[in-house]
Amino acid sequence: MNNIPRNIFNKIKTTNPKLSFFVFPILLCIVLIWIIPFPKEKLTPPPSTIVLDRNGKMLRVFLAPDEMWRIPVSANKISPTLKKAVIGYEDKYFRWHWGINPVAIIRATIANIKAGRIVQGGSTLTMQVARMMEPKERTIPNKLIEMFRALQLELRYSKDEILTFYFNLAPYGGNIVGVGAASYLYFNKSPDQLSLGECALLATIPNSPNQYRPDIDMSSTQKARAKVLGLLRKAGKISSQQFKEALSEPIPDRRFDLPFSIPHLSTRLVQMYPHASLLETTIDGKIQQLATAILQTHLTPLQRQGINNGAIVIIENQNQQVLAMVGSNDFFDEPNQGQVNGAIAPRSPGSALKPFIYALGMEHGLIAPQSLLYDVPVEYSGYRPINYDETYHGVVTVENALIRSLNVPAVNLTAQLGENGIYYFLKEAWISTLPKPKEHYGLSLILGGCEVTLLELTNLYSGLANGGKFRSYRFLKTQLEEPGQQLLSEGACYIISEMLSQLRRPDLPASWEFSMHLPKIAWKTGTSYGHRDAWSIGYTPQYTIGVWVGNFDGKGAPALVGAEVAAPILFSLFTALENSSDDRWFVQPTSVSRRQVCAVSGMPLSKNCASAKDELYLPGISPNQECNIHQLILVDKKSGKRLCSHCRIGRKYAEKIVEQWPVEIATWLARNGYPIEKIPEHFAGCSKLASGEKPIIRSPSDNAEFKIRPTVALKYQKILLDASVSNRSKKIFWFLNGKLIYSGAPTQKVFVTPKIGNHNLMCMDDEGRASEVKFVVK
Ligand SMILES: [Zn+2]
Ligand SMILES: [Zn+2]
């Protein structure tokens, strides 16, 4: 391209030497304008960071790094009236000149000489852009640089682009830069929604930002606005009527605040993405507002009871997008640490993880909804789980154990699942707050002996709503959707959802008003040890909502119970978000069927079961052993004793169906007053050895060690002998080192005084079945 100008010079030189005298420097200028580097990065200084909701609505604006409010806008987002007003006021010939207007400069020079000081600048809009990108003192050399830059601008950019630079760089008073920030701060509007009067007002401010900013000196602003409007009318751009109306528009006397609607998330996102100027979130501004308001309404009366904070997370299941995240009751509440983000604070989940152990149990074919679980005292290497109400219930169905949130059955199931249990499941399902190895948490993990965040817990439940597919949540529209991992089957999740959507349950809040218009939801509550955290998490096919209530200093309060303080918030949110039509519920997958099971044992019906009930189950996976509690026995008509196939020969007998309870729990049930049927004793004259289940020695455990404390009397150090036997056994016998020390009812607890040495203990039932343990006393 260097060749072209040289050719032109030669041509001019040869054709007309006089012309070349003028043209040569002009062309030289053009070349210089083109080749001298232009600092184009200065046209776009670092802007404010803007956080938008999913619909493009501003949620939060942060100051730019230089403490300025700077909200860049594109040309099509600036009101055409504003453009007209600025051109009319600042630079009528903007569309016609090449960056410099010689007439305006001469006129300004004369005016300045006359006045003896600078009263006019003679600057074009392009020159103003040049000055705003490189602010300098007003001297003649600087003015020349400004003109040169203006020419560079004109050569590189279109008029519309230069005008847009002007609107984004112009000062609007104080730390407001650009018309984007000015429109929001003075009128609480975007710059494409301004009225004529507002456009006229904004057109004047950059000319003298400290004099004309409306919140400082209203009368100067009013005069300047009238001048702009007068120019527009004179130029025929507006009618007299429009002129009058615009003049009567009020002048704002204060700045509006920029939106501050999602402080916790915004702060977190800015930390995570420090270089992003625009953060397009998945948040729904309206749902966020609703959640904030509902949390505040519910927390206000609770504050008198020492409960000061709460947090809410709402996730759209379909795409794992977070629709709302409320971090605390009030961000500005300093005494209660309102700036802490409760949604990401690790806390103990109480019972909130239990649905997952039942889902895993179902998945591995250990249980179905009506299967019986044992709820009797149990010990795992010194760990003795107890229920919330400190009682035991003997046997409970899976469904009851889940919705009554019993601890013992959940721990038993966790122990039974072993390596397939909750720990590795949680690790795979995006729970990041389990830094220690599995052994550290042990079986109490399922009872809340760990920490989780509300955000991750809500996301975990969303996996149930998604038919067992677990993915990470998303905050930004730009984050890609993950395929997710199928960690539970769709069928197990469906059955869990059905169980969790029942209304008649103990964790329904005492006040029914919250559940009156409640759409069908699956939900679970949790209360941490010491009443420090109250949780409630629920889901429908569309949304998963998590609620946490507590104090950031970890202080407990008696009223901090998931069902009482967190569930009502959950219910209010679902009532506000969901319609109540039933067709929005999960569709039963083909892997789930309904069957009849024994009303007592919950096992598939045998010919001996008298009554039945319904359950959902997973064909091919759920336990399918027939009921073994209802058993047919033969009773000798004469003696009333039980006959076996051996001794029935030659005797008259009747058939009878009895309930024979498993040896693990029969003794506990009988001891605790459960109406356990008495089964007739085996016919005494029978010589056949009995088969079947042996007694289980519960105490002492095998290889137990006892130490005699010399300072305590021996009678206070007795060892408990305890065994569990079938309810067919009427009598048991304890043998210590081969010597009979007790015979009597199995429900009776027996104690022995310890003697130093190794011991052999045997327990035998009345049919000769026996178990042995060894223990040592030191
Ligand atoms: Zn049965
Ligand atoms: Zn017999």
Side-chain angles (χ1 to χ4, degrees), residues 397-442:
T397 62
V398 163
E399 186 168 77
N400 256 317
L402 173 59
I403 63 176
R404 292 166 74 182
S405 206
L406 299 177
N407 289 342
V408 179
V411 169
N412 290 341
L413 196 54
T414 308
Q416 224 181 324
L417 278 161
E419 294 301 299
N420 297 320
I422 192 80
Y423 177 80
Y424 294 110
F425 166 78
L426 293 177
K427 285 257 175 186
E428 276 185 286
W430 305 93
I431 298 294
S432 65
T433 48
L434 299 172
K436 306 234 165 78
K438 181 172 175 259
E439 296 66 37
H440 170 85
Y441 301 100

CSV table of all heavy atoms in Angstrom, one decimal, residues 397-442:
chain,number,residue,atom,x,y,z
A,397,THR,N,-42.1,-51.1,58.9
A,397,THR,CA,-41.9,-51.2,57.5
A,397,THR,C,-40.9,-50.2,57.0
A,397,THR,O,-40.6,-49.2,57.7
A,397,THR,CB,-43.2,-51.0,56.7
A,397,THR,OG1,-43.6,-49.6,57.0
A,397,THR,CG2,-44.3,-51.9,57.2
A,398,VAL,N,-40.3,-50.5,55.8
A,398,VAL,CA,-39.4,-49.6,55.2
A,398,VAL,C,-40.0,-48.2,55.1
A,398,VAL,O,-39.4,-47.2,55.5
A,398,VAL,CB,-38.9,-50.1,53.9
A,398,VAL,CG1,-38.3,-49.0,53.0
A,398,VAL,CG2,-38.0,-51.3,54.0
A,399,GLU,N,-41.2,-48.2,54.6
A,399,GLU,CA,-41.9,-46.9,54.4
A,399,GLU,C,-42.0,-46.1,55.7
A,399,GLU,O,-41.8,-44.9,55.7
A,399,GLU,CB,-43.3,-47.2,53.8
A,399,GLU,CG,-44.1,-46.0,53.4
A,399,GLU,CD,-45.3,-46.4,52.6
A,399,GLU,OE1,-46.3,-46.9,53.2
A,399,GLU,OE2,-45.2,-46.3,51.4
A,400,ASN,N,-42.4,-46.8,56.8
A,400,ASN,CA,-42.6,-46.1,58.0
A,400,ASN,C,-41.2,-45.7,58.6
A,400,ASN,O,-41.1,-44.6,59.2
A,400,ASN,CB,-43.2,-47.1,59.0
A,400,ASN,CG,-44.6,-46.7,59.3
A,400,ASN,OD1,-44.9,-45.5,59.4
A,400,ASN,ND2,-45.5,-47.7,59.3
A,401,ALA,N,-40.2,-46.5,58.4
A,401,ALA,CA,-38.9,-46.2,58.9
A,401,ALA,C,-38.4,-44.9,58.3
A,401,ALA,O,-37.8,-44.1,58.9
A,401,ALA,CB,-37.9,-47.3,58.7
A,402,LEU,N,-38.7,-44.8,57.0
A,402,LEU,CA,-38.3,-43.6,56.2
A,402,LEU,C,-39.0,-42.4,56.6
A,402,LEU,O,-38.5,-41.4,57.0
A,402,LEU,CB,-38.4,-43.9,54.7
A,402,LEU,CG,-38.1,-42.6,53.8
A,402,LEU,CD1,-36.7,-42.1,54.0
A,402,LEU,CD2,-38.3,-43.0,52.3
A,403,ILE,N,-40.4,-42.5,56.6
A,403,ILE,CA,-41.1,-41.2,56.8
A,403,ILE,C,-41.2,-40.9,58.3
A,403,ILE,O,-41.3,-39.7,58.7
A,403,ILE,CB,-42.5,-41.2,56.2
A,403,ILE,CG1,-43.4,-42.2,56.7
A,403,ILE,CG2,-42.4,-41.3,54.7
A,403,ILE,CD1,-44.8,-42.2,56.2
A,404,ARG,N,-40.9,-41.9,59.2
A,404,ARG,CA,-40.8,-41.5,60.6
A,404,ARG,C,-39.3,-41.2,61.0
A,404,ARG,O,-39.0,-40.9,62.1
A,404,ARG,CB,-41.3,-42.7,61.5
A,404,ARG,CG,-42.8,-42.8,61.4
A,404,ARG,CD,-43.3,-44.1,61.9
A,404,ARG,NE,-43.3,-44.1,63.4
A,404,ARG,CZ,-43.6,-45.1,64.2
A,404,ARG,NH1,-44.0,-46.3,63.6
A,404,ARG,NH2,-43.6,-45.0,65.5
A,405,SER,N,-38.5,-41.4,60.0
A,405,SER,CA,-37.1,-41.0,60.1
A,405,SER,C,-36.4,-41.7,61.3
A,405,SER,O,-35.7,-41.1,62.1
A,405,SER,CB,-36.9,-39.5,60.3
A,405,SER,OG,-35.7,-39.1,59.8
A,406,LEU,N,-36.6,-43.0,61.4
A,406,LEU,CA,-36.0,-43.8,62.5
A,406,LEU,C,-34.5,-44.0,62.3
A,406,LEU,O,-34.1,-44.2,61.1
A,406,LEU,CB,-36.7,-45.1,62.7
A,406,LEU,CG,-38.2,-45.0,63.0
A,406,LEU,CD1,-38.9,-46.4,63.0
A,406,LEU,CD2,-38.5,-44.3,64.3
A,407,ASN,N,-33.8,-43.9,63.3
A,407,ASN,CA,-32.3,-44.0,63.2
A,407,ASN,C,-31.8,-45.4,63.1
A,407,ASN,O,-31.0,-45.8,62.3
A,407,ASN,CB,-31.6,-43.3,64.4
A,407,ASN,CG,-31.8,-41.8,64.3
A,407,ASN,OD1,-32.1,-41.3,63.2
A,407,ASN,ND2,-31.6,-41.2,65.4
A,408,VAL,N,-32.4,-46.3,64.0
A,408,VAL,CA,-31.8,-47.7,64.1
A,408,VAL,C,-31.9,-48.4,62.7
A,408,VAL,O,-30.9,-49.0,62.2
A,408,VAL,CB,-32.4,-48.4,65.3
A,408,VAL,CG1,-31.8,-49.8,65.4
A,408,VAL,CG2,-32.2,-47.6,66.6
A,409,PRO,N,-33.1,-48.5,62.1
A,409,PRO,CA,-33.2,-49.2,60.9
A,409,PRO,C,-32.3,-48.6,59.8
A,409,PRO,O,-31.7,-49.4,59.0
A,409,PRO,CB,-34.7,-49.0,60.4
A,409,PRO,CG,-35.4,-48.7,61.7
A,409,PRO,CD,-34.4,-47.9,62.6
A,410,ALA,N,-32.1,-47.3,59.8
A,410,ALA,CA,-31.3,-46.7,58.8
A,410,ALA,C,-29.8,-47.1,59.0
A,410,ALA,O,-29.1,-47.3,58.0
A,410,ALA,CB,-31.4,-45.1,58.8
A,411,VAL,N,-29.4,-47.2,60.2
A,411,VAL,CA,-28.0,-47.6,60.5
A,411,VAL,C,-27.9,-49.1,60.2
A,411,VAL,O,-26.9,-49.4,59.5
A,411,VAL,CB,-27.7,-47.3,62.0
A,411,VAL,CG1,-26.4,-48.0,62.4
A,411,VAL,CG2,-27.6,-45.8,62.3
A,412,ASN,N,-28.8,-49.9,60.5
A,412,ASN,CA,-28.8,-51.3,60.2
A,412,ASN,C,-28.6,-51.5,58.6
A,412,ASN,O,-27.8,-52.3,58.2
A,412,ASN,CB,-30.0,-52.1,60.6
A,412,ASN,CG,-30.1,-52.2,62.1
A,412,ASN,OD1,-29.1,-52.0,62.8
A,412,ASN,ND2,-31.3,-52.4,62.6
A,413,LEU,N,-29.4,-50.7,57.9
A,413,LEU,CA,-29.4,-50.8,56.4
A,413,LEU,C,-28.0,-50.4,55.9
A,413,LEU,O,-27.4,-51.0,55.0
A,413,LEU,CB,-30.5,-50.0,55.9
A,413,LEU,CG,-30.9,-50.2,54.4
A,413,LEU,CD1,-31.2,-51.7,54.2
A,413,LEU,CD2,-32.1,-49.4,54.1
A,414,THR,N,-27.5,-49.3,56.5
A,414,THR,CA,-26.2,-48.8,56.1
A,414,THR,C,-25.1,-49.9,56.4
A,414,THR,O,-24.2,-50.1,55.5
A,414,THR,CB,-25.8,-47.5,56.9
A,414,THR,OG1,-26.9,-46.6,56.8
A,414,THR,CG2,-24.5,-46.9,56.4
A,415,ALA,N,-25.2,-50.5,57.5
A,415,ALA,CA,-24.2,-51.6,57.8
A,415,ALA,C,-24.3,-52.7,56.8
A,415,ALA,O,-23.4,-53.3,56.4
A,415,ALA,CB,-24.5,-52.1,59.3
A,416,GLN,N,-25.6,-53.1,56.5
A,416,GLN,CA,-25.9,-54.2,55.6
A,416,GLN,C,-25.3,-53.9,54.2
A,416,GLN,O,-24.9,-54.8,53.5
A,416,GLN,CB,-27.4,-54.4,55.5
A,416,GLN,CG,-27.8,-55.8,55.6
A,416,GLN,CD,-29.3,-55.8,55.5
A,416,GLN,OE1,-30.0,-55.0,56.0
A,416,GLN,NE2,-29.8,-56.9,54.8
A,417,LEU,N,-25.4,-52.6,53.8
A,417,LEU,CA,-25.0,-52.3,52.4
A,417,LEU,C,-23.4,-52.2,52.3
A,417,LEU,O,-22.9,-52.4,51.2
A,417,LEU,CB,-25.6,-50.9,52.0
A,417,LEU,CG,-27.0,-51.0,51.5
A,417,LEU,CD1,-27.7,-49.7,51.5
A,417,LEU,CD2,-27.0,-51.6,50.1
A,418,GLY,N,-22.8,-52.0,53.4
A,418,GLY,CA,-21.3,-52.0,53.4
A,418,GLY,C,-20.7,-51.1,52.4
A,418,GLY,O,-20.9,-49.9,52.3
A,419,GLU,N,-19.9,-51.7,51.5
A,419,GLU,CA,-19.2,-50.9,50.5
A,419,GLU,C,-20.1,-50.3,49.4
A,419,GLU,O,-19.8,-49.4,48.7
A,419,GLU,CB,-18.2,-51.8,49.7
A,419,GLU,CG,-17.0,-52.3,50.6
A,419,GLU,CD,-16.2,-51.1,51.2
A,419,GLU,OE1,-15.7,-50.3,50.4
A,419,GLU,OE2,-16.2,-51.0,52.5
A,420,ASN,N,-21.3,-50.8,49.4
A,420,ASN,CA,-22.3,-50.2,48.4
A,420,ASN,C,-23.1,-49.1,49.1
A,420,ASN,O,-24.1,-48.7,48.6
A,420,ASN,CB,-23.3,-51.3,47.9
A,420,ASN,CG,-22.6,-52.4,47.2
A,420,ASN,OD1,-21.7,-52.1,46.4
A,420,ASN,ND2,-22.9,-53.7,47.4
A,421,GLY,N,-22.7,-48.7,50.3
A,421,GLY,CA,-23.5,-47.8,51.1
A,421,GLY,C,-23.4,-46.4,50.7
A,421,GLY,O,-23.0,-46.0,49.5
A,422,ILE,N,-23.7,-45.5,51.6
A,422,ILE,CA,-23.9,-44.1,51.4
A,422,ILE,C,-22.7,-43.3,51.1
A,422,ILE,O,-22.7,-42.4,50.3
A,422,ILE,CB,-24.7,-43.5,52.6
A,422,ILE,CG1,-25.2,-42.1,52.3
A,422,ILE,CG2,-23.8,-43.5,53.8
A,422,ILE,CD1,-26.5,-42.2,51.5
A,423,TYR,N,-21.5,-43.7,51.7
A,423,TYR,CA,-20.3,-42.9,51.5
A,423,TYR,C,-19.9,-42.7,50.1
A,423,TYR,O,-19.7,-41.6,49.6
A,423,TYR,CB,-19.2,-43.5,52.4
A,423,TYR,CG,-17.9,-42.8,52.3
A,423,TYR,CD1,-17.7,-41.6,53.0
A,423,TYR,CD2,-16.9,-43.3,51.4
A,423,TYR,CE1,-16.4,-40.9,52.9
A,423,TYR,CE2,-15.6,-42.6,51.4
A,423,TYR,CZ,-15.4,-41.4,52.1
A,423,TYR,OH,-14.2,-40.8,52.0
A,424,TYR,N,-19.7,-43.8,49.4
A,424,TYR,CA,-19.2,-43.8,48.0
A,424,TYR,C,-20.3,-43.2,47.1
A,424,TYR,O,-20.0,-42.5,46.1
A,424,TYR,CB,-18.7,-45.1,47.5
A,424,TYR,CG,-17.5,-45.6,48.3
A,424,TYR,CD1,-17.6,-46.7,49.2
A,424,TYR,CD2,-16.3,-44.9,48.1
A,424,TYR,CE1,-16.5,-47.1,49.9
A,424,TYR,CE2,-15.2,-45.3,48.9
A,424,TYR,CZ,-15.3,-46.4,49.7
A,424,TYR,OH,-14.2,-46.8,50.4
A,425,PHE,N,-21.5,-43.5,47.4
A,425,PHE,CA,-22.6,-42.9,46.7
A,425,PHE,C,-22.5,-41.3,46.7
A,425,PHE,O,-22.6,-40.7,45.7
A,425,PHE,CB,-24.0,-43.4,47.2
A,425,PHE,CG,-25.1,-42.6,46.7
A,425,PHE,CD1,-25.6,-42.8,45.4
A,425,PHE,CD2,-25.7,-41.6,47.4
A,425,PHE,CE1,-26.6,-42.0,44.9
A,425,PHE,CE2,-26.8,-40.8,46.9
A,425,PHE,CZ,-27.2,-41.1,45.7
A,426,LEU,N,-22.4,-40.8,47.9
A,426,LEU,CA,-22.4,-39.3,48.1
A,426,LEU,C,-21.2,-38.8,47.3
A,426,LEU,O,-21.2,-37.7,46.7
A,426,LEU,CB,-22.3,-38.9,49.5
A,426,LEU,CG,-23.6,-39.3,50.4
A,426,LEU,CD1,-23.3,-38.9,51.8
A,426,LEU,CD2,-24.8,-38.5,49.8
A,427,LYS,N,-20.0,-39.4,47.4
A,427,LYS,CA,-18.8,-39.0,46.7
A,427,LYS,C,-19.1,-38.9,45.2
A,427,LYS,O,-18.7,-37.9,44.6
A,427,LYS,CB,-17.7,-39.9,47.0
A,427,LYS,CG,-17.1,-39.8,48.4
A,427,LYS,CD,-15.8,-39.1,48.3
A,427,LYS,CE,-15.2,-38.8,49.6
A,427,LYS,NZ,-14.0,-37.9,49.5
A,428,GLU,N,-19.7,-39.9,44.7
A,428,GLU,CA,-20.0,-39.9,43.3
A,428,GLU,C,-21.0,-38.9,42.8
A,428,GLU,O,-21.0,-38.4,41.7
A,428,GLU,CB,-20.4,-41.3,42.8
A,428,GLU,CG,-19.3,-42.2,42.6
A,428,GLU,CD,-19.8,-43.5,42.0
A,428,GLU,OE1,-20.4,-44.3,42.8
A,428,GLU,OE2,-19.7,-43.8,40.8
A,429,ALA,N,-21.9,-38.6,43.8
A,429,ALA,CA,-23.0,-37.7,43.5
A,429,ALA,C,-22.7,-36.2,43.8
A,429,ALA,O,-23.6,-35.5,44.2
A,429,ALA,CB,-24.3,-38.2,44.2
A,430,TRP,N,-21.5,-35.8,43.7
A,430,TRP,CA,-21.1,-34.4,43.7
A,430,TRP,C,-21.1,-33.8,45.1
A,430,TRP,O,-21.1,-32.6,45.3
A,430,TRP,CB,-21.9,-33.5,42.8
A,430,TRP,CG,-21.9,-34.0,41.4
A,430,TRP,CD1,-22.9,-34.8,40.9
A,430,TRP,CD2,-21.0,-33.7,40.4
A,430,TRP,NE1,-22.5,-35.1,39.6
A,430,TRP,CE2,-21.4,-34.4,39.2
A,430,TRP,CE3,-19.8,-32.9,40.4
A,430,TRP,CZ2,-20.7,-34.3,38.1
A,430,TRP,CZ3,-19.2,-32.9,39.2
A,430,TRP,CH2,-19.6,-33.6,38.0
A,431,ILE,N,-21.1,-34.6,46.2
A,431,ILE,CA,-21.0,-34.1,47.5
A,431,ILE,C,-19.5,-33.9,47.8
A,431,ILE,O,-18.8,-34.9,47.9
A,431,ILE,CB,-21.7,-35.0,48.6
A,431,ILE,CG1,-23.2,-35.1,48.3
A,431,ILE,CG2,-21.4,-34.4,50.0
A,431,ILE,CD1,-24.0,-33.8,48.5
A,432,SER,N,-19.1,-32.6,48.0
A,432,SER,CA,-17.7,-32.3,48.1
A,432,SER,C,-17.2,-32.2,49.5
A,432,SER,O,-16.0,-31.9,49.7
A,432,SER,CB,-17.4,-31.1,47.3
A,432,SER,OG,-18.0,-30.0,47.9
A,433,THR,N,-18.1,-32.3,50.5
A,433,THR,CA,-17.7,-32.0,51.9
A,433,THR,C,-17.4,-33.2,52.7
A,433,THR,O,-17.7,-33.2,53.9
A,433,THR,CB,-18.8,-31.2,52.5
A,433,THR,OG1,-20.1,-31.8,52.2
A,433,THR,CG2,-18.9,-29.8,52.0
A,434,LEU,N,-16.9,-34.3,52.1
A,434,LEU,CA,-16.6,-35.5,52.8
A,434,LEU,C,-15.1,-35.8,52.6
A,434,LEU,O,-14.7,-36.7,51.9
A,434,LEU,CB,-17.4,-36.7,52.4
A,434,LEU,CG,-18.9,-36.7,52.5
A,434,LEU,CD1,-19.5,-37.8,51.8
A,434,LEU,CD2,-19.3,-36.6,54.0
A,435,PRO,N,-14.2,-34.9,53.2
A,435,PRO,CA,-12.8,-35.0,53.0
A,435,PRO,C,-12.1,-36.2,53.6
A,435,PRO,O,-11.1,-36.6,53.1
A,435,PRO,CB,-12.2,-33.7,53.6
A,435,PRO,CG,-13.2,-33.4,54.6
A,435,PRO,CD,-14.5,-33.9,54.2
A,436,LYS,N,-12.7,-36.8,54.6
A,436,LYS,CA,-12.0,-37.9,55.3
A,436,LYS,C,-12.4,-39.3,54.8
A,436,LYS,O,-13.4,-39.4,54.1
A,436,LYS,CB,-12.4,-37.8,56.8
A,436,LYS,CG,-12.2,-36.4,57.4
A,436,LYS,CD,-11.3,-36.5,58.7
A,436,LYS,CE,-10.8,-35.2,59.1
A,436,LYS,NZ,-11.7,-34.3,59.8
A,437,PRO,N,-11.6,-40.3,55.1
A,437,PRO,CA,-12.0,-41.6,54.6
A,437,PRO,C,-13.2,-42.2,55.2
A,437,PRO,O,-13.7,-41.7,56.3
A,437,PRO,CB,-10.8,-42.5,55.0
A,437,PRO,CG,-10.1,-41.7,56.1
A,437,PRO,CD,-10.3,-40.3,55.8
A,438,LYS,N,-13.8,-43.2,54.6
A,438,LYS,CA,-15.1,-43.7,55.0
A,438,LYS,C,-15.1,-44.1,56.5
A,438,LYS,O,-16.1,-43.8,57.2
A,438,LYS,CB,-15.3,-45.0,54.2
A,438,LYS,CG,-16.6,-45.7,54.4
A,438,LYS,CD,-16.8,-46.8,53.4
A,438,LYS,CE,-18.0,-47.6,53.7
A,438,LYS,NZ,-17.8,-48.9,54.4
A,439,GLU,N,-14.0,-44.7,57.0
A,439,GLU,CA,-14.0,-45.1,58.4
A,439,GLU,C,-14.2,-44.0,59.4
A,439,GLU,O,-14.7,-44.2,60.5
A,439,GLU,CB,-12.7,-45.8,58.7
A,439,GLU,CG,-12.4,-47.1,57.9
A,439,GLU,CD,-12.3,-46.9,56.4
A,439,GLU,OE1,-11.7,-45.9,56.0
A,439,GLU,OE2,-12.8,-47.7,55.6
A,440,HIS,N,-13.7,-42.8,59.0
A,440,HIS,CA,-13.9,-41.6,59.9
A,440,HIS,C,-15.3,-41.4,60.2
A,440,HIS,O,-15.7,-41.0,61.3
A,440,HIS,CB,-13.2,-40.4,59.2
A,440,HIS,CG,-13.5,-39.1,60.0
A,440,HIS,ND1,-12.8,-38.7,61.0
A,440,HIS,CD2,-14.5,-38.2,59.8
A,440,HIS,CE1,-13.3,-37.6,61.5
A,440,HIS,NE2,-14.3,-37.3,60.8
A,441,TYR,N,-16.2,-41.5,59.2
A,441,TYR,CA,-17.6,-41.2,59.4
A,441,TYR,C,-18.3,-42.4,60.0
A,441,TYR,O,-19.2,-42.2,60.8
A,441,TYR,CB,-18.2,-40.8,58.1
A,441,TYR,CG,-17.6,-39.6,57.5
A,441,TYR,CD1,-16.6,-39.8,56.5
A,441,TYR,CD2,-17.8,-38.3,58.0
A,441,TYR,CE1,-16.0,-38.7,55.9
A,441,TYR,CE2,-17.2,-37.2,57.4
A,441,TYR,CZ,-16.3,-37.4,56.4
A,441,TYR,OH,-15.6,-36.3,55.9
A,442,GLY,N,-18.0,-43.6,59.6
A,442,GLY,CA,-18.6,-44.8,60.2
A,442,GLY,C,-20.1,-44.8,59.8
A,442,GLY,O,-20.6,-44.2,58.9
